[in-house]
Amino acid sequence: VDRSDLRAILRGPGNAALDSADGEIIALGNQEDVFIDNLPVVFVGYGLEAGDSETSGSTDVRFDGQAVLLLRGAPDAIDNPPSFRTRLAYFRERGATAIIGIALPDTPWDASLNSLRFRQTYLASDARSPVEAIISAAGYDRHLAGSLGAYSDLTRLAQARGFTKQLLDLQISLRITTQIDRYDGINVVGYIPGSGTSGEAILFSAHHDHFGICRPDDPDNQICNGAVDNASGTAAVIEIARTLAAVEQAVRDIYFVTTTAEESGLLGAIAFADAPPLPLENILAVFNLDTIAIAPRGAAVGIIGRGMTPLDTLIDQVAIEYGRSVDTGLEMNSFVRRNDAWAFMERGVAAVMTGGSFTDPELLNGFLGGRYHRNTDEIEGIELGGAHEDTLLHIELGRAFSNPQRYPT
């Protein structure tokens, strides 16, 4: 579902209206028109319980029929606080009718608006609160400051030892209008049946989506083609499938999927993993290919997800057999949540990204600071030497991991 072009009106104490046109609040509804009257407001501070392993898994605490008022940021004394996305998910799962985040006063308001202003895409099955909004600290002070006082009072209260959620002497009414576009995204799946009967399989994946028209102000080049990210990975999966289908039949099944909506949050991979064509426990290894056309021939092979799965040893062996050097560093794991492999790792499936594109920080940062997610990510001028070698390497990985003698269950 894509959401944009929205208008929000919020009424607080004294029936005073706060209109999104005034530039102090932005809100999204989970339907085209949402109206909620006299909603009680509960202040939850920074919502740090979302990151507490003892409480985040419990659903005993509920917020049904309430608006949750939530501070952005975290106290200075807190190291590694849960992300705001994690906090949103926590209150969504516990039935909050509305979630209203108060933006940090020292963050430019435009930056806060951008988290909701632009088109968002998510699975129709995703749990969303009926209303999710961000209000400026100044807007809160002018329109919603209730029994707990101004924004500065809220922050002091939230940082106090032993703080617990508090029901405010405040009720709000919300009228939200949101443009919602519904569409079907397509994953493309194929497989090569193996000769065995165990049902075990390996999987190759790549995302085939990008941004389409993303530079409408440039009449000569409006389309973000995504040649490196990720036509390169998609092309590699096609060639891996073509080659493995032409050689001697493997013992294990070999599956291939190209996914949609990776750029919107791994949505295609999540949908595949939630409704796979075979039991997830039968998938012994997932090899995701993404942004492989960066490094030249001869680049060292790295693993995004090294040390997190049982796949490393055989991957390294195959790379060395193929004549590639191996980079055993863990710095590349900073990308582990930023690729489709994560959708499988979250569900207990061994999944990695393997290749040379991420082992040279200078080349990688040059791409990320250059054509990445821009209308200049086109075929002209990209490096294909490393992509060719990585494709051949994955063909060998397919042969090795589909062989129970080389990779026992």
Side-chain angles (χ1 to χ4, degrees):
V1 178
D2 286 351
R3 314 187 199 175
S4 61
D5 301 334
L6 54 96
R7 184 174 178 84
I9 298 176
L10 181 151
R11 291 189 180 275
N15 210 32
L18 174 59
D19 194 323
S20 60
D22 299 331
E24 291 183 319
I25 186 172
I26 188 167
L28 296 174
N30 67 349
Q31 301 179 42
E32 282 84 352
D33 294 292
V34 177
F35 174 68
I36 302 169
D37 198 21
N38 295 325
L39 193 65
V41 180
V42 60
F43 177 56
V44 297
Y46 292 97
L48 299 179
E49 60 268 36
D52 187 338
S53 59
E54 294 184 3
T55 61
S56 60
S58 171
T59 56
D60 293 341
V61 178
R62 301 291 301 178
F63 298 91
D64 305 87
Q66 294 178 323
V68 168
L69 189 64
L70 175 66
L71 295 173
R72 300 291 296 257
D76 294 336
I78 301 298
D79 293 326
N80 300 317
S83 68
F84 195 70
R85 178 180 296 183
T86 298
R87 292 180 244 180
L88 283 176
Y90 177 86
F91 294 108
R92 286 170 183 159
E93 292 168 0
R94 285 153 183 80
T97 301
I99 304 173
I100 303 174
I102 305 179
L104 292 167
D106 55 353
T107 298
W109 180 233
D110 275 351
S112 297
L113 288 179
N114 287 344
S115 63
L116 291 182
R117 172 188 284 158
F118 298 112
R119 189 172 293 268
Q120 299 186 16
T121 305
Y122 58 90
L123 295 172
S125 58
D126 281 0
R128 296 274 162 158
S129 294
V131 175
E132 297 179 7
I134 296 175
I135 187 172
S136 68
Y140 167 82
D141 281 345
R142 273 192 287 272
H143 299 279
L144 293 180
S147 59
L148 293 182
Y151 173 80
S152 58
D153 298 318
L154 293 184
T155 58
R156 281 194 295 271
L157 179 65
Q159 295 185 43
R161 184 182 298 275
F163 168 79
T164 59
K165 62 185 178 71
Q166 297 195 18
L167 187 65
L168 304 187
D169 182 17
L170 173 66
Q171 290 185 325
I172 59 173
S173 298
L174 301 153
R175 184 181 297 277
I176 313 296
T177 302
T178 309
Q179 178 181 312
I180 298 179
D181 304 317
R182 296 171 174 83
Y183 68 91
D184 292 329
I186 304 299
N187 290 335
V188 180
V189 183
Y191 88 109
I192 303 170
S195 61
T197 59
S198 67
E200 295 173 341
I202 64 170
L203 172 70
F204 292 93
S205 66
H207 73 88
H208 61 239
D209 69 298
H210 208 248
F211 295 112
I213 295 175
C214 65
R215 294 293 182 274
D217 296 333
D218 183 350
D220 298 322
N221 188 9
Q222 294 189 339
I223 298 176
C224 278
N225 298 288
V228 176
D229 177 23
N230 183 37
S232 64
T234 303
V237 166
I238 292 171
E239 293 308 315
I240 294 164
R242 191 196 314 275
T243 302
L244 291 178
V247 300
E248 183 179 354
Q249 184 180 29
V251 175
R252 290 177 173 135
D253 298 338
I254 306 176
Y255 279 78
F256 306 87
V257 59
T258 65
T259 62
T260 185
E262 187 269 356
E263 301 291 2
S264 300
L266 317 183
L267 300 186
I270 290 169
F272 178 91
D274 284 344
L278 74 165
L280 282 183
E281 58 266 25
N282 288 10
I283 302 177
L284 303 185
V286 176
F287 299 99
N288 186 49
L289 292 99
D290 193 345
T291 311
I292 68 171
I294 293 180
R297 295 182 186 278
V301 173
I303 299 174
I304 295 179
R306 181 176 289 278
M308 303 173 71
T309 77
L311 308 179
D312 296 357
T313 300
L314 185 53
I315 290 173
D316 290 349
Q317 288 177 1
V318 171
I320 292 169
E321 291 167 4
Y322 182 59
R324 302 280 297 271
S325 59
V326 172
D327 183 338
T328 59
L330 302 179
E331 296 83 2
M332 293 167 282
N333 284 352
S334 61
F335 292 91
V336 76
R337 294 172 182 258
R338 293 179 57 181
N339 75 91
D340 276 344
W342 178 248
F344 297 94
M345 292 183 73
E346 276 193 308
R347 291 156 178 80
V349 179
V352 294
M353 273 183 49
T354 299
S357 282
F358 299 90
T359 56
D360 187 326
E362 183 176 351
L363 286 175
L364 177 60
N365 290 332
F367 170 74
L368 295 177
R371 64 175 69 204
Y372 174 64
H373 285 182
R374 296 185 181 179
N375 54 347
T376 52
D377 188 4
E378 299 175 331
I379 187 67
E380 289 78 14
I382 69 173
E383 172 61 67
L384 294 175
H388 181 220
E389 286 192 333
D390 282 352
T391 304
L392 296 176
L393 172 64
H394 278 80
I395 292 169
E396 298 306 316
L397 291 173
R399 289 172 171 157
F401 280 86
S402 62
N403 181 352
Q405 293 185 338
R406 291 215 66 180
Y407 189 69
T409 304

